[in-house]
Amino acid sequence: MTPKMHLYVLASGSKGNAAVVEGPQGSVLVDCGISRRELMRRADACGCDLDRVTHVLVTHEHSDHTRGLPVLSNHFDGELLATAGTAGGAKPLVSLPFTLVTHSETLRLAGMVVTTFPTSHDVADPFGLRFSVLDADGQIEDSIGWCTDTGYLTAEALGQLRGVRILGLESNHDVQMLAHGPYPAWLRARVGGDAGHLSNDQAADALPLLVTQDTETVVALHLSQKNNRPATCVRTLAQAMGATVRRDSDGAPEARTPDGLLTICVASQDEPLAIW
């Protein structure tokens, strides 16, 4: 599969989330939970051209996904897209000029077909995303899946995420670390519940269902800084795919299958990641 899209994860975690999917006719920003200044700094650091962004897709209203939107919107001429539940779900978002979409919709943005699908989180109406580029005959040339902040993978999520070239999938916490960590009981129950966040084990269980011969990279997203570790996450996901854990050139943990066709890596809260 010849890459037609690129993924830049500029921030991923409870302190802020933002990613850019670059397509053939522009780019789409997914969430903006960091400041505009930091967004620009990280984009520049990894070679992401924010001037190509034509749309912003907001997956849900939590502040770690929307904190930077009010300022960004003052400097952005493109469309902000969200569900009605998200647009009205937090006071700072109510006055923003959203174009409303549903959680099960197909859009054409920046030369890409973008499909939304419902996720399970304790917010009004969240969604995950599949980005595809089609050839002249309507066949898929490239695809990227994006799914975070969900307590489980819905049937629609499983269908849309299967077989993408780059799979961005939440792997928030290690079950044992969450159970014995610093969170109070109510917060442990929320994070580990059906409207919370995917664990390493849940993500690992999903990989054999989602990864096909077309999948080249799995990116673990939204890791908890208190209830997970990059190495723990990668090791758990690697075991599900028979991959070997190693370190990349920057010393970060990653894993590769014996045939070298699949790489498993982790997105960071603080450092941008570019995947081609």
Side-chain angles (χ1 to χ4, degrees):
M1 184 181 293
T2 302
K4 302 291 183 181
M5 296 184 289
H6 310 128
L7 173 65
Y8 302 92
V9 186
L10 303 182
S12 184
S14 58
K15 292 182 181 179
N17 296 271
V20 173
V21 177
E22 184 179 69
Q25 298 172 21
S27 299
V28 173
L29 174 64
V30 180
D31 293 334
C32 187
I34 57 178
S35 70
R36 177 173 176 265
R37 176 176 293 183
E38 188 64 11
L39 186 79
M40 294 173 66
R41 186 190 73 79
R42 295 188 189 194
D44 184 64
C46 67
C48 174
D49 184 2
L50 291 180
D51 289 338
R52 298 192 77 236
V53 173
T54 59
H55 298 78
V56 180
L57 280 163
V58 184
T59 62
H60 66 287
E61 65 266 28
H62 278 163
S63 62
D64 59 320
H65 294 256
T66 62
R67 190 177 295 114
L69 275 177
V71 172
L72 179 70
S73 67
N74 291 331
H75 302 269
F76 182 64
D77 295 329
E79 276 190 300
L80 306 180
L81 306 174
T83 64
T86 294
K91 187 175 180 180
L93 305 182
V94 172
S95 62
L96 298 185
F98 282 107
T99 297
L100 299 183
V101 299
T102 72
H103 63 227
S104 297
E105 188 164 340
T106 298
L107 311 163
R108 291 190 176 269
L109 310 176
M112 299 177 286
V113 176
V114 183
T115 304
T116 63
F117 55 83
T119 53
S120 175
H121 201 46
D122 52 359
V123 289
D125 193 11
F127 58 65
L129 296 156
R130 179 186 176 117
F131 298 82
S132 300
V133 172
L134 308 182
D135 64 18
D137 296 322
Q139 300 300 307
I140 294 174
E141 286 193 291
D142 199 6
S143 55
I144 293 175
W146 186 266
C147 186
T148 73
D149 295 75
T150 189
Y152 65 93
L153 291 172
T154 64
E156 294 93 336
L158 290 170
Q160 293 295 338
L161 295 173
R162 177 174 167 76
V164 294
R165 181 175 65 87
I166 301 172
L167 173 61
L169 183 64
E170 179 172 56
S171 193
N172 175 259
H173 58 277
D174 174 80
V175 172
Q176 291 303 314
M177 290 181 70
L178 177 65
H180 302 287
Y183 284 1
W186 69 267
L187 186 52
R188 293 198 300 270
R190 173 191 172 263
V191 170
D194 281 349
H197 295 273
L198 290 181
S199 69
N200 294 340
D201 290 339
Q202 286 175 295
D205 288 345
L207 288 188
L209 303 175
L210 301 178
V211 172
T212 71
Q213 61 183 4
D214 293 321
T215 309
E216 296 178 0
T217 307
V218 173
V219 189
L221 302 172
H222 214 298
L223 269 68
S224 170
Q225 292 185 302
K226 296 187 184 232
N227 301 301
N228 209 351
R229 296 288 182 272
T232 301
C233 172
V234 170
R235 184 170 60 249
T236 303
L237 300 188
Q239 288 173 348
M241 300 306 300
T244 300
V245 179
R246 59 176 204 167
R247 297 277 173 175
D248 67 13
S249 59
D250 295 321
E254 68 171 24
R256 286 192 180 177
T257 51
D259 58 14
L261 298 179
L262 178 69
T263 299
I264 299 170
C265 59
V266 175
S268 168
Q269 178 68 84
D270 303 310
E271 298 296 330
L273 173 68
I275 301 174
W276 288 62

